[in-house]
Amino acid sequence: MKWFIIALILVFVLIVIPGFSDTNQSQAGYLSIISSPSGATVTFDGINSGVTPVIIPIPNSSRLPHSITLEMTGYQDWTTTVNKNPDTGSVETISATLTDSTDTGTIQVISDPTGATATCDGSNTQLTPYTYRGLSPGKHEISLSLNGYYPYSTTISVASGAESVISAALSPEETRSTGSISVSSDPTGATVTLDEMQSKITPNTFTNVKTGTHTIEIKKSGYSSYTSTVTVTSGVESEISASLSRVKNTGSLTVNSDPSGASIYLNNVYYGISPIHIDTLDTGIYTIKAEKSSYNSDTEIINLIKGQENTVQLTLSSKMPERPFNRWMDIAPMGIPLGGDIPMGSPGMPPGPR
């Protein structure tokens, strides 16, 4: 039977197609669609194109892809997609074997408003109203979505040979319940942002906030930022009160000395022995002094800048030790020793009795 149908189609191509104009032949190929059993209704790119077997001329410039659906009472719908136009003058055959649907059921999906996107078991996307056919007996999930309306989902049981009906009245989103969020801060005058979109200055209240969880962020120059989540309930005002912590302007300082082990003073306040590192030091002008026994002290003045690591190197010079007085070496002018008798033969004095 199948070969007979194919032969019939070829005869049709050889006899009927030449009746087309030369122009059409030069610009089109052909799709031959057959089914087992024959007599199925063919929908090509959304247009009823007869019953199987059928030949459809396809211009070379036709937009791809092409959608083909075969429907027949008592059988499951059959669908395929064609991603290439037939070559000019050629005939390509599409053969479909339809499956008996006596052991399957259907689901008719209706929505208000119509035009909602429907899926069956997470696939087979269609627009309502639509009837899903050839479904196996058991439970199936139908989901609907439409811009401006709440999503809709339900589970329905399908019986063999029976049709189940879903009629869904979609709810507009604008009817969603709302609440409000009151925000205060210490200090006041901080910028508060709701869900990274809407901003106000504290103290303030966000009204007509959709129910659910939202994020609040509060910022003020010179203070640490504050972030919190809040759950909004229909008709209820939620409150957030934030105490902001001041951020200090600080820097860090490292003091080295040569030699090390010197006592380090900042603005005459002792901080420790070098080398020393000081974190979170308030910014400003500092006089840094290093002292060590037997060394001359060294001092440097710096301007400590916020967020910067400052390093100071101090160099201490050694003190000359004091020599004890030597009456014979510490000679005054004319060779007279300081604080003593004149020795015999001292420089600058002639020899002889005194």
Side-chain angles (χ1 to χ4, degrees):
M1 179 66 180
K2 180 177 179 180
W3 291 109
F4 173 77
I5 294 173
I6 294 175
L8 184 63
I9 291 170
L10 291 176
V11 171
F12 178 86
V13 171
L14 295 174
I15 297 176
V16 178
I17 290 180
F20 288 94
S21 67
D22 292 339
T23 301
N24 287 337
Q25 290 186 36
S26 64
Q27 296 178 350
Y30 303 90
L31 282 180
S32 171
I33 303 174
I34 62 176
S35 68
S36 177
S38 59
T41 300
V42 178
T43 301
F44 182 82
D45 287 344
I47 300 174
N48 190 320
S49 302
V51 297
T52 57
V54 65
I55 293 179
I56 302 174
I58 310 295
N60 293 345
S61 59
S62 293
R63 180 179 297 178
L64 295 171
H66 299 296
S67 174
I68 301 173
T69 300
L70 275 61
E71 296 176 290
M72 190 172 186
T73 302
Y75 293 86
Q76 297 182 24
D77 292 352
W78 186 93
T79 301
T80 190
T81 300
V82 176
N83 295 306
K84 179 181 179 299
N85 290 325
D87 294 334
T88 300
S90 67
V91 179
E92 294 187 9
T93 301
I94 294 178
S95 179
T97 300
L98 305 183
T99 302
D100 193 334
S101 63
T102 55
D103 292 332
T104 63
T106 61
I107 300 177
Q108 182 184 12
V109 183
I110 304 169
S111 70
D112 180 20
T114 60
T117 299
T119 61
C120 180
D121 297 328
S123 60
N124 197 353
T125 302
Q126 304 291 340
L127 295 180
T128 60
Y130 185 79
T131 299
Y132 289 100
R133 304 180 186 277
L135 300 176
S136 59
K139 293 184 178 181
H140 296 270
E141 183 180 16
I142 299 295
S143 298
L144 301 177
S145 62
L146 183 63
N147 189 32
Y149 292 82
Y150 283 116
Y152 175 92
S153 182
T154 189
T155 300
I156 190 169
S157 295
V158 172
S160 178
E163 179 178 86
S164 301
V165 178
I166 293 176
S167 182
L170 304 182
S171 301
E173 285 187 344
E174 55 265 25
T175 62
R176 177 182 289 182
S177 299
T178 61
S180 59
I181 304 174
S182 174
V183 184
S184 61
S185 68
D186 180 20
T188 60
T191 300
V192 54
T193 304
L194 173 64
D195 295 333
E196 299 183 351
M197 296 177 61
Q198 188 178 1
S199 296
K200 295 186 177 185
I201 302 299
T202 61
N204 222 313
T205 301
F206 294 95
T207 58
N208 297 320
V209 181
K210 294 179 180 180
T211 55
T213 302
H214 299 270
T215 300
I216 292 290
E217 185 176 27
I218 303 173
K219 292 183 177 181
K220 185 176 178 67
S221 179
Y223 293 83
S224 298
S225 60
Y226 173 93
T227 302
S228 180
T229 57
V230 59
T231 300
V232 174
T233 305
S234 176
V236 177
E237 180 176 276
S238 302
E239 295 184 1
I240 290 182
S241 180
S243 180
L244 306 181
S245 301
R246 179 178 289 278
V247 177
K248 292 184 177 181
N249 293 327
T250 61
S252 60
L253 175 66
T254 298
V255 181
N256 299 313
S257 70
D258 183 17
S260 60
S263 298
I264 303 301
Y265 296 84
L266 274 65
N267 293 342
N268 295 321
V269 177
Y270 176 76
Y271 271 78
I273 301 298
S274 66
I276 185 172
H277 179 79
I278 307 169
D279 278 318
T280 61
L281 194 63
D282 290 344
T283 57
I285 304 298
Y286 287 87
T287 299
I288 305 170
K289 185 177 182 180
E291 293 183 347
K292 186 177 177 69
S293 178
S294 300
Y295 290 85
N296 295 312
S297 62
D298 191 16
T299 301
E300 185 172 332
I301 298 175
I302 67 165
N303 181 16
L304 191 67
I305 299 175
K306 176 184 176 181
Q308 288 191 2
E309 167 71 32
N310 298 267
T311 301
V312 173
Q313 178 68 45
L314 298 175
T315 302
L316 289 72
S317 59
S318 177
K319 292 181 179 179
M320 293 296 294
E322 294 185 2
R323 179 171 52 83
F325 174 77
N326 188 321
R327 62 185 297 180
W328 305 115
M329 296 182 65
D330 297 329
I331 305 299
M334 299 302 294
I336 301 174
L338 298 177
D341 297 329
I342 299 174
M344 295 299 293
S346 295
M349 294 293 293
R354 300 288 186 266

